C-alpha cells in the first residue's frame, strides 16, 4: 500500500510521544528507512501477505512492511508506544492491527491463521525464546511461512553454524533439522537508536521437509542435554537422558565425542531412536 505522503518522520513521532528505547525491554529503535525497506524485502514479495511483527516500538519496520503491501499484525507490550502505533494504524487504512500484550502469551496460529510471514526486529531479551517456540511448532509445515528476524550477530551465527565449531549448538540443530536458515545481511550498530554494544544481523528461515518419526520436543530435550554440558563427552552429558547412550551405541557413534562434533543428521537419528523407544 502507499502510506500518506504527509506521514511525519519517525524521529518526529518519537520526539512527540517522548519515546526512548527501554533497556529492560531489550529495545533498540531502527530509523533508517532504506535499511528497513531492505529488511522487508528479505522474505520476497509481501504484497497482500499477512505479516506478524513482534515489538514494533514506534513503528519503523511496520512502515516498511506496509510500504511493501503487507497486512500487518503487530504485538507490542510497551504501552508507551501504543499511541504512535495507533496513529500509524489510522493512516494504514485497515492494513495494520495492533495488539497490546506480551508476544510470549499470544496464540499466534489462532490469531493469524496459516501462512503468515514473521518479520521482526526482535527485542533482545525474548528473541531466542520466541525463535525456539516457532521452530518447535507441533504441526509441520508450521503456521508461519517464513521468519525474517534481527538478532545479535553472535546469535545469528549460532543459528546457521555448521558442526565442528564453537558456534554450533542447540540453536543450529533446532533451526536446521527441518528448516533452511541463512544470514541475509549484517546490520551495523550505528543503525540503531541508541546504538547497542554489538553488531546485529538479519536471519531468514524457511520451513523444509520434516524427517519422519521425530518429534520436535524430543530433539529439544536431546540438544538441551548434549549442549548443556558441551565441554563434556557425550557419555557424560547424555547419561541423564534415558535411552540416549543406547542410541549412540546402535548408531555407532563414539560416546567419547563432544556434542559439537555430531551433525544435525546425527542428532535427528538419535532423537528418532528415543521416540521409537518411548513408543515401544
Amino acid at each position: 500500500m502507499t502510506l500518506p505522503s504527509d506521514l511525519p518522520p519517525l524521529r518526529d513521532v518519537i520526539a512527540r510521544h517522548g519515546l526512548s528505547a527501554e533497556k529492560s525491554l531489550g529495545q533498540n529503535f531502527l530509523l533508517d528507512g532504506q535499511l528497513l525497506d531492505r529488511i522487508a524485502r528479505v522474505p520476497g514479495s509481501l504484497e497482500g501477505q499477512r505479516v506478524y511483527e513482534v515489538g514494533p516500538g514506534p513503528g519503523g519496520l511496520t512502515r516498511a512492511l506496509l510500504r511493501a503491501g503487507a497486512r500487518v499484525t503487530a504485538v507490542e507490550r510497551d504501552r508507551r508506544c501504543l499511541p504512535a502505533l495507533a496513529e500509524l494504524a489510522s493512516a494504514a487504512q485497515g492494513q495494520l492491527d495492533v495488539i497490546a500484550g506480551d508476544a510470549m502469551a499470544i496464540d499466534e496460529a489462532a490469531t493469524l491463521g496459516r501462512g503468515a510471514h514473521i518479520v521482526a526486529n526482535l527485542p533482545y531479551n525474548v528473541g531466542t525464546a520466541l525463535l525456539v517456540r516457532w521452530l518447535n511448532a507441533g504441526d509441520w509445515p508450521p503456521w508461519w511461512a517464513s521468519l525474517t528476524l534481527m538478532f545479535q550477530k553472535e546469535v545469528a551465527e549460532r543459528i546457521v553454524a555448521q558442526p565442528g565449531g564453537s558456534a554450533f549448538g542447540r540453536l543450529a540443530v533446532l533451526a536446521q533439522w527441518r528448516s533452511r536458515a541463512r544470514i541475509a545481511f549484517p546490520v551495523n550498530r550505528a543503525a540503531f537508536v541508541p546504538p547497542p554494544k554489538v553488531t546485529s544481523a538479519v536471519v531468514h528461515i524457511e520451513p523444509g521437509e520434516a524427517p519422519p518419526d521425530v518429534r520436535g520436543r524430543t530433539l529439544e530435550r536431546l540438544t538441551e542435554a548434549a549442549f548443556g554440558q558441551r565441554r563434556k563427552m557425550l557419555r557424560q552429558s547424555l547419561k541423564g537422558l534415558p535411552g540416549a547412550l543406547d542410541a549412540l551405541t546402535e548408531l555407532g557413534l563414539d560416546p567419547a565425542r563432544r556434542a559439537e562434533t555430531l551433525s544435525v543428521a546425527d542428532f535427528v537419528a538419535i532423537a528418532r531412536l528415543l521416540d521409537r523407544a518411548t513408543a515401544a
Side-chain angles (χ1 to χ4, degrees):
M1 67 168 291
T2 301
L3 289 171
S5 59
D6 60 350
L7 204 63
L10 197 58
R11 288 185 183 275
D12 292 353
V13 172
I14 290 172
R16 180 159 46 84
H17 289 282
L19 299 177
S20 60
E22 187 67 43
K23 185 176 181 180
S24 65
L25 297 176
Q27 291 175 330
N28 294 92
F29 297 156
L30 273 175
L31 306 183
D32 185 329
Q34 290 186 333
L35 174 60
L36 292 165
D37 287 338
R38 185 182 180 191
I39 296 171
R41 288 194 296 269
V42 170
S45 174
L46 293 178
E47 185 68 41
Q49 298 292 306
R50 171 68 72 185
V51 170
Y52 179 54
E53 183 185 7
V54 174
L61 180 57
T62 317
R63 292 184 180 204
L65 295 170
L66 292 169
R67 286 194 294 267
R71 296 175 294 120
V72 182
T73 298
V75 56
E76 178 58 69
R77 64 175 295 189
D78 185 356
R79 304 194 71 83
R80 300 175 308 149
C81 295
L82 296 180
L85 293 171
E87 292 176 3
L88 183 56
S90 178
Q93 302 173 19
Q95 293 295 99
L96 171 61
D97 294 319
V98 179
I99 299 173
D102 185 347
M104 295 297 293
I106 300 292
D107 184 342
E108 298 130 331
T111 302
L112 296 149
R114 297 188 67 83
H117 297 271
I118 303 177
V119 185
N121 172 22
L122 288 175
Y124 285 157
N125 57 354
V126 297
T128 301
L130 283 169
L131 174 63
V132 170
R133 186 171 82 173
W134 294 329
L135 292 172
N136 199 31
D139 296 330
W140 206 264
W143 63 268
W144 48 267
S146 72
L147 308 175
T148 302
L149 308 171
M150 179 90 72
F151 289 103
Q152 295 180 37
K153 187 180 178 184
E154 178 184 345
V155 176
E157 289 173 341
R158 296 210 311 264
I159 292 169
V160 304
Q162 297 301 302
S166 60
F168 184 75
R170 175 170 169 256
L171 277 184
V173 176
L174 295 179
Q176 296 174 39
W177 76 285
R178 55 182 181 179
S179 300
R180 299 178 296 274
R182 65 181 177 89
I183 293 180
F185 54 85
V187 179
N188 192 285
R189 56 187 297 273
F192 295 90
V193 177
K197 295 181 180 180
V198 296
T199 300
S200 298
V202 175
V203 175
H204 185 62
I205 301 175
E206 295 179 316
E209 292 293 325
D213 305 322
V214 181
R215 293 186 303 159
R217 180 55 190 149
T218 302
L219 195 64
E220 192 173 357
R221 287 173 49 238
L222 173 61
T223 54
E224 283 174 353
F227 292 103
Q229 305 177 74
R230 64 180 302 138
R231 293 188 178 183
K232 293 187 177 181
M233 298 178 189
L234 290 169
R235 65 162 59 98
Q236 288 297 116
S237 60
L238 294 182
K239 68 180 181 180
L241 188 61
L245 297 183
D246 291 338
L248 292 180
T249 300
E250 185 171 344
L251 294 168
L253 296 171
D254 186 353
R257 293 170 65 178
R258 291 182 170 82
E260 67 266 19
T261 69
L262 298 187
S263 68
V264 174
D266 288 334
F267 280 104
V268 169
I270 296 169
R272 179 178 290 114
L273 291 180
L274 292 178
D275 279 339
R276 287 179 183 173
T278 301

Tab-separated table of all heavy atoms in Angstrom, residues 8 23 31 44 126 161 164 175 179 198 202 235 276:
chain	number	residue	atom	x	y	z
A	8	PRO	N	4.388	11.885	9.310
A	8	PRO	CA	5.536	12.573	9.915
A	8	PRO	C	6.760	11.671	9.992
A	8	PRO	O	6.624	10.443	10.099
A	8	PRO	CB	5.029	12.930	11.316
A	8	PRO	CG	3.923	11.970	11.593
A	8	PRO	CD	3.281	11.703	10.267
A	23	LYS	N	15.916	-0.227	27.947
A	23	LYS	CA	16.885	-1.319	28.050
A	23	LYS	C	16.255	-2.563	28.656
A	23	LYS	O	16.532	-3.694	28.239
A	23	LYS	CB	18.089	-0.875	28.880
A	23	LYS	CG	19.213	-1.904	28.933
A	23	LYS	CD	20.417	-1.356	29.684
A	23	LYS	CE	21.547	-2.383	29.702
A	23	LYS	NZ	22.743	-1.870	30.433
A	31	LEU	N	15.790	3.519	12.565
A	31	LEU	CA	15.173	4.681	11.932
A	31	LEU	C	15.499	4.818	10.449
A	31	LEU	O	14.863	5.613	9.753
A	31	LEU	CB	15.616	5.958	12.658
A	31	LEU	CG	15.396	6.006	14.183
A	31	LEU	CD1	15.821	7.365	14.722
A	31	LEU	CD2	13.957	5.713	14.535
A	44	GLY	N	10.797	-11.881	0.270
A	44	GLY	CA	10.206	-11.853	-1.069
A	44	GLY	C	9.028	-10.896	-1.084
A	44	GLY	O	8.844	-10.107	-0.146
A	126	VAL	N	13.922	-11.480	24.540
A	126	VAL	CA	12.998	-12.596	24.293
A	126	VAL	C	13.208	-13.230	22.922
A	126	VAL	O	12.502	-14.169	22.564
A	126	VAL	CB	11.516	-12.164	24.430
A	126	VAL	CG1	11.207	-11.719	25.839
A	126	VAL	CG2	11.159	-11.085	23.407
A	161	ALA	N	25.254	-22.022	12.153
A	161	ALA	CA	26.556	-22.666	12.334
A	161	ALA	C	26.552	-24.114	11.844
A	161	ALA	O	25.532	-24.809	11.869
A	161	ALA	CB	26.958	-22.621	13.806
A	164	GLY	N	31.337	-28.759	14.317
A	164	GLY	CA	32.781	-28.684	14.478
A	164	GLY	C	33.290	-27.403	15.086
A	164	GLY	O	34.406	-27.356	15.601
A	175	ALA	N	17.247	-25.102	14.331
A	175	ALA	CA	16.941	-24.279	13.162
A	175	ALA	C	17.136	-25.018	11.847
A	175	ALA	O	16.542	-24.654	10.835
A	175	ALA	CB	17.798	-23.021	13.167
A	179	SER	N	14.388	-26.991	8.642
A	179	SER	CA	14.283	-25.644	8.076
A	179	SER	C	15.575	-25.289	7.358
A	179	SER	O	16.612	-25.936	7.547
A	179	SER	CB	14.017	-24.598	9.172
A	179	SER	OG	12.822	-24.857	9.853
A	198	VAL	N	26.737	-4.317	20.373
A	198	VAL	CA	27.111	-5.407	19.471
A	198	VAL	C	26.547	-5.174	18.071
A	198	VAL	O	25.592	-4.427	17.882
A	198	VAL	CB	26.589	-6.758	20.002
A	198	VAL	CG1	27.245	-7.111	21.327
A	198	VAL	CG2	25.064	-6.729	20.162
A	202	VAL	N	20.424	-9.880	10.175
A	202	VAL	CA	19.082	-10.347	9.815
A	202	VAL	C	19.187	-11.799	9.361
A	202	VAL	O	19.986	-12.128	8.478
A	202	VAL	CB	18.479	-9.488	8.693
A	202	VAL	CG1	17.140	-10.065	8.241
A	202	VAL	CG2	18.316	-8.052	9.165
A	235	ARG	N	29.074	-39.311	26.696
A	235	ARG	CA	28.745	-40.308	27.711
A	235	ARG	C	28.398	-39.660	29.051
A	235	ARG	O	27.645	-40.237	29.837
A	235	ARG	CB	29.884	-41.307	27.884
A	235	ARG	CG	31.178	-40.734	28.437
A	235	ARG	CD	32.074	-41.853	28.981
A	235	ARG	NE	32.410	-42.827	27.957
A	235	ARG	CZ	33.551	-42.825	27.283
A	235	ARG	NH1	34.466	-41.882	27.523
A	235	ARG	NH2	33.793	-43.735	26.382
A	276	ARG	N	11.240	-43.906	19.200
A	276	ARG	CA	10.838	-45.306	18.996
A	276	ARG	C	10.826	-46.052	20.319
A	276	ARG	O	9.927	-46.870	20.585
A	276	ARG	CB	11.778	-45.979	18.001
A	276	ARG	CG	11.580	-45.535	16.558
A	276	ARG	CD	12.563	-46.236	15.649
A	276	ARG	NE	12.422	-45.775	14.271
A	276	ARG	CZ	13.249	-46.122	13.287
A	276	ARG	NH1	14.279	-46.936	13.537
A	276	ARG	NH2	13.057	-45.665	12.057
